[in-house]
Amino acid sequence: MQIILPDLLCSWGYEGFLNPYYEDAKTESSTWIRPLVVRLFDERGQKAFAKDYTGLLASMMYAHHNKEFLRVACDMMNLFFVYDEYTDVSSPEIAHRLANIAVDAMRNPDGVSPFGEDLMGDMTKQFWRRAMTLLPPNGRNSESCVRHFIDYTEEYLNSVSREAWDRSSGGIHSISDYLAIRRATSGAGLMVGLLEFGLDLPEEVMKHKVIQELSTGAIDMYCLLNDMHSYASELSSGQANHNIITVVMHERNLSLQEAFSWLASYADGVVKRFKANMARVPSFSELEDHSLHGEGMLRDRIQRYIDGLGHAVRAEDDWAFETTRYHGQNGAQIKRTRVLTIRPQVKGNYAKQGWRVEAPERAMLLTVKN
């Protein structure tokens, strides 16, 4: 059947760009992540990964950052994209184990892991050490920035583990419960957390109600956009229970088109609140610190963070049409016509967009390290 795909960002305001360092950063990062991809995925999965979903998204999301920042962003997306794809078809026990490995690697990058030394942990440490170089050398708020990102990471990885349990049970959440869970499982917090690096924003700024509401609004829009674009592919692969469209149809007893219309109405409210909060951002003049001349005045750095949120949301929508991950070769046409073809589930198809992951027990090979 065909449905009309709503434009959730028709009044968002931010334009899309591509980072000029895209080619260099994505090539370096793809070479770096390849040993983990080879370990976890078969030849077909490796070819799917080579389509460069992650490097393109990072380069659209962080279009205005320098090459060093973009390389870290590509590494982040590559690492957690592999994790997400693998745990989508892994047992809950394996997903939980890998979550512990990754979080411990970030909390103790120079220590010995209590979960054993392995490739996942080693590469997480490499990513994290590179991310540390983005912090300003004289920054006063680096500790809180690091803590925020690790908290986002732990929340994301643990939520993905819980999602594995949800898949095994086959249940469907309520709308309110789903949206709360989705903020974590989307990994959008990681995208938001990385925006802090290099800005040296005080804790008083990041914990302010308006800034937190702006961050949450951007995360919500990222989740809604991702669910909208991924629904068709998730339905065909039998993984659509963890999608806002399925949840809304189930709870509100709506048709498919009605569920997409509900999504458009809900997203409109999120956009309006985001814009209202932009107008409510305090000056924070009492926190102004002139010591970081290279980073600019505090108000300018706060604005860069807020603009980063806006560009990140726009990038998710633009990327979904640019990449073949969700709409195949039809992204440009769907963006123009807004007509999306929904196909039923293909029996026995459990992999997403060409990813055929080997048996979940293969993850135990991660513990092998010379």
Side-chain angles (χ1 to χ4, degrees):
M1 64 181 299
Q2 290 184 325
I3 60 99
I4 301 300
L5 197 70
D7 183 359
L8 305 189
L9 298 184
C10 58
S11 61
W12 186 246
Y14 285 91
E15 296 182 17
F17 298 93
L18 182 68
N19 193 300
Y21 300 108
Y22 163 57
E23 289 292 344
D24 290 342
K26 67 106 173 183
T27 299
E28 292 174 9
S29 186
S30 296
T31 301
W32 170 78
I33 197 68
R34 181 162 178 76
L36 189 60
V37 175
V38 171
R39 179 69 64 86
L40 289 180
F41 299 99
D42 66 1
E43 184 177 355
R44 185 182 177 194
Q46 294 169 35
K47 288 182 179 178
F49 190 87
K51 293 180 180 178
D52 182 39
Y53 300 133
T54 50
L56 180 61
L57 178 57
S59 298
M60 298 174 77
M61 188 166 287
Y62 304 105
H64 302 289
H65 290 76
N66 61 29
K67 181 183 176 182
E68 290 73 25
F69 188 103
L70 182 59
R71 168 62 199 276
V72 170
C74 288
D75 286 356
M76 177 188 73
M77 292 194 182
N78 276 326
L79 185 64
F80 292 112
F81 182 69
V82 167
Y83 180 91
D84 187 69
E85 290 291 321
Y86 192 79
T87 56
D88 268 356
V89 292
S90 297
S91 69
E93 293 81 5
I94 287 177
H96 181 67
R97 175 178 175 273
L98 294 182
N100 286 334
I101 289 172
V103 171
D104 179 75
M106 295 178 68
R107 293 194 183 280
N108 304 288
D110 299 315
V112 177
S113 172
F115 306 100
E117 295 300 306
D118 53 60
L119 189 56
M120 174 67 81
D122 186 51
M123 298 199 72
T124 302
K125 290 178 180 179
Q126 292 177 35
F127 151 71
W128 194 232
R129 292 188 189 108
R130 189 172 289 117
M132 293 299 96
T133 65
L134 300 180
L135 298 172
N138 299 317
R140 297 183 178 183
N141 305 287
S142 296
E143 183 178 343
S144 61
C145 172
V146 167
R147 184 175 66 253
H148 296 162
F149 191 89
I150 293 179
D151 287 346
Y152 274 129
T153 301
E154 188 167 22
E155 180 186 47
Y156 163 66
L157 296 176
N158 288 336
S159 68
V160 171
S161 298
R162 291 194 298 270
E163 185 182 357
W165 287 106
D166 288 345
R167 284 195 302 272
S168 64
S169 68
I172 299 177
H173 292 284
S174 67
I175 294 175
S176 59
D177 287 348
Y178 173 79
L179 290 173
I181 293 169
R182 188 66 175 116
R183 290 188 184 108
T185 61
S186 68
L190 299 171
M191 320 302 180
V192 168
L194 192 62
L195 287 171
E196 286 187 52
F197 280 69
L199 295 179
D200 201 52
L201 297 174
E203 186 78 350
E204 295 90 337
V205 172
M206 299 311 300
K207 293 300 182 182
H208 193 279
K209 181 180 179 181
V210 173
I211 300 299
Q212 290 203 326
E213 288 182 359
L214 282 166
S215 302
T216 300
I219 290 172
D220 283 351
M221 286 306 301
Y222 180 94
C223 296
L224 298 177
L225 286 163
N226 187 269
D227 276 19
M228 179 183 75
H229 287 295
S230 66
Y231 176 75
S233 63
E234 289 176 353
L235 181 68
S236 67
S237 63
Q239 298 184 23
N241 275 9
H242 195 72
N243 188 293
I244 188 61
I245 298 299
T246 300
V247 171
V248 170
M249 291 174 66
H250 184 264
E251 181 173 318
R252 299 293 180 91
N253 194 28
L254 300 179
S255 68
L256 185 58
Q257 184 64 71
E258 288 171 339
F260 274 93
S261 297
W262 179 95
L263 179 65
S265 177
Y266 185 87
D268 182 62
V270 177
V271 172
K272 288 179 179 177
R273 288 192 295 274
F274 185 88
K275 289 188 169 184
N277 281 319
M278 286 179 66
R280 296 171 52 220
V281 176
S283 66
F284 294 107
S285 57
E286 72 280 7
L287 300 175
E288 189 65 72
D289 183 352
H290 300 280
S291 63
L292 292 176
H293 299 293
E295 298 300 327
M297 301 292 284
L298 176 60
R299 190 66 184 86
D300 293 337
R301 303 199 307 271
I302 294 172
Q303 188 61 51
R304 283 160 58 188
Y305 175 79
I306 296 171
D307 288 343
L309 297 175
H311 288 302
V313 171
R314 170 59 68 184
E316 171 63 17
D317 192 51
D318 288 347
W319 172 79
F321 291 116
E322 285 287 333
T323 182
T324 60
R325 179 167 171 77
Y326 298 132
H327 302 306
Q329 302 296 329
N330 301 318
Q333 178 182 346
I334 293 171
K335 186 176 184 179
R336 183 178 67 255
T337 65
R338 311 303 299 189
V339 176
L340 176 67
T341 300
I342 306 291
R343 294 180 173 82
Q345 178 182 351
V346 178
K347 187 176 180 180
N349 178 19
Y350 63 91
K352 295 190 294 186
Q353 286 294 317
W355 285 84
R356 183 168 64 82
V357 184
E358 297 196 9
E361 290 75 15
R362 178 78 184 280
M364 302 311 293
L365 292 177
L366 283 171
T367 58
V368 177
K369 179 182 177 183
N370 296 326

